[in-house]
Amino acid sequence: KNQVEQSPQSLIILEGKNCTLQCNYTVSPFSNLRWYKQDTGRGPVSLTIMTFSENTKSNGRYTATLDADTKQSSLHITASQLSDSASYICVVSDRGSTLGRLYFGRGTQLTVWP
Amino acid sequence: EADIYQTPRYLVIGTGKKITLECSQTMGHDKMYWYQQDPGMELHLIHYSYGVNSTEKGDLSSESTVSRIRTEHFPLTLESARPSHTSQYLCASSESLPRRSTGTYGYTFGSGTRLTVV
């Protein structure tokens, strides 16, 4: 069964600190992995997209890594800000159809305290 | 900035009412999607469309219906709302061709409609 598991479920850090969020998946055949940021009551906004040939991708203070062999990804946030408080969702796409089926994790709820 | 718009943002409605959630995109995307999301849970695909006059049901069974008469417009309708329909509904669209640099399809979400049926 194609699944995407994220950990931790929730995380609280102090402003200025770094943190790392984890994503494990069983989706096959693998096409790409995306990290999204979703503010409360809003739609997800794309942070990074990585194909199987990429093992790291940065977007400002966000750096995603991908190990396609172990089917693991991480999202590292550097020097956190209050505005980073949101849910971070890992999304994996398969290559099985033209639809490019997306499999969603439940997200990690990050709270940044001042 | 997202070029996909959903209205209304919030809706509180009584049981038995008919409602339509609007979704429009200005990117010319052929593929559009509706997802349902409950708090702390993953998004579930309820409807999708490959283009005009094309609609399909997604993985999660839903009593809602959709239509695609114009490329830019993908409304979702509930004929008779019930409290079990209370949820967040997210509309999305994706590029028709893969990006040359990555081979991936760009995917954009709307801001969502938070529906409460009382």
Side-chain angles (χ1 to χ4, degrees):
Chain A
K1 181 180 178 182
N2 289 323
Q3 286 186 312
V4 178
E5 301 288 342
Q6 292 187 243
S7 61
Q9 184 176 348
S10 62
L11 181 63
I12 299 174
I13 62 173
L14 294 177
E15 186 178 14
K17 298 297 185 182
N18 304 335
C19 67
T20 300
L21 314 180
Q22 300 292 340
C23 174
N24 296 335
Y25 62 92
T26 60
V27 177
S28 181
F30 174 84
S31 176
N32 59 78
L33 185 146
R34 308 164 190 247
W35 282 94
Y36 282 87
K37 177 186 179 186
Q38 185 176 23
D39 293 314
T40 301
R42 311 288 296 191
V45 175
S46 180
L47 295 175
T48 61
I49 303 176
M50 289 182 292
T51 62
F52 66 90
S53 61
E54 299 173 289
N55 54 26
T56 187
K57 183 72 71 75
S58 291
N59 178 359
R61 294 179 296 102
Y62 302 102
T63 299
T65 64
L66 173 65
D67 186 334
D69 292 330
T70 61
K71 299 186 175 182
Q72 296 179 324
S73 176
S74 65
L75 180 68
H76 186 73
I77 303 175
T78 303
S80 61
Q81 300 175 357
L82 299 180
S83 59
D84 291 332
S85 295
S87 178
Y88 290 84
I89 304 173
C90 177
V91 185
V92 180
S93 179
D94 71 8
R95 240 183 319 183
S97 69
T98 56
L99 178 63
R101 169 69 192 276
L102 298 184
Y103 296 87
F104 292 82
R106 294 186 175 185
T108 292
Q109 184 64 48
L110 175 66
T111 302
V112 181
W113 283 1
Chain B
E1 293 296 324
D3 295 304
I4 183 165
Y5 307 98
Q6 290 187 242
T7 57
R9 286 292 316 283
Y10 304 95
L11 179 62
V12 180
I13 200 164
T15 297
K17 298 293 185 182
K18 176 180 179 179
I19 58 170
T20 296
L21 308 184
E22 301 289 347
C23 176
S24 294
Q25 49 97 4
T26 59
M27 298 171 283
H29 290 170
D30 287 327
K31 298 176 184 176
M32 296 189 73
Y33 315 83
W34 275 102
Y35 289 89
Q36 187 173 337
Q37 184 184 30
D38 292 318
M41 302 296 288
E42 63 267 46
L43 278 71
H44 290 285
L45 181 67
I46 53 175
H47 297 284
Y48 62 94
S49 168
Y50 285 134
V52 171
N53 294 325
S54 154
T55 61
E56 300 287 344
K57 289 190 178 294
D59 304 315
L60 183 66
S61 176
S62 175
E63 294 167 345
S64 58
T65 60
V66 292
S67 63
R68 191 87 183 276
I69 299 173
R70 304 198 313 267
T71 298
E72 62 272 21
H73 196 212
F74 192 40
L76 181 146
T77 298
L78 275 167
E79 290 293 333
S80 180
R82 293 206 299 270
S84 60
H85 296 140
T86 294
S87 188
Q88 168 139 325
Y89 292 85
L90 289 162
C91 181
S93 70
S94 64
E95 295 168 342
S96 304
L97 295 174
R99 296 174 178 176
R100 183 172 291 184
S101 59
T102 62
T104 60
Y105 294 83
Y107 215 92
T108 304
F109 286 88
S111 293
T113 293
R114 166 62 65 184
L115 173 65
T116 303
V117 183
V118 297

